């Protein structure tokens, strides 16, 4: 580091390097967590679409059976 502060040359010390390493690790962990959350959200969206498709299918079958029973009773 070539910064000067209060007339002294900046230097790296072990505690400062340890803190910097922890900050980098935390940033990597948050990036990985963000990636995992995006994957989970994508899976939830696909599951939601499948669930609605199933609901519409069941409702369609029920309506078809009701319509068929009306046709058999009223001809």
């Amino acid at each position: 580091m070539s910064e000067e502060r209060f007339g002294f040359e900046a230097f790296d010390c072990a505690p400062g390097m340890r803190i910097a390493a922890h900050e980098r690790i935390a940033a990597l962990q948050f990036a990985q967590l963000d990636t995992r959350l995006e994957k989970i959200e994508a899976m939830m969206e696909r599951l939601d679409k499948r669930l609605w498709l199933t609901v519409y299918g069941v409702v369609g079958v029920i309506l078809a059976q009701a319509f068929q029973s009306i046709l058999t009773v009223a001809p």
Side-chain angles (χ1 to χ4, degrees):
M1 294 183 155
S2 62
E3 284 183 19
E4 289 192 20
R5 193 179 295 168
F6 303 114
F8 296 104
E9 191 174 317
F11 64 95
D12 291 331
C13 61
M17 293 171 68
R18 177 186 267 168
I19 291 171
H22 283 294
E23 288 174 351
R24 286 193 306 266
I25 289 172
L28 289 172
Q29 287 175 339
F30 279 117
Q32 183 65 27
L33 183 63
D34 190 41
T35 304
R36 287 182 184 175
L37 286 174
E38 288 174 0
K39 288 181 181 179
I40 290 171
E41 287 176 357
M43 287 190 301
M44 286 175 60
E45 286 178 11
R46 288 194 307 265
L47 183 63
D48 187 45
K49 289 178 184 178
R50 289 179 185 171
L51 178 65
W52 281 113
L53 183 62
T54 303
V55 168
Y56 289 140
V58 169
V59 169
V61 167
I62 291 171
L63 289 175
Q65 287 178 349
F67 185 70
Q68 185 180 12
S69 67
I70 290 173
L71 286 179
T72 57
V73 171

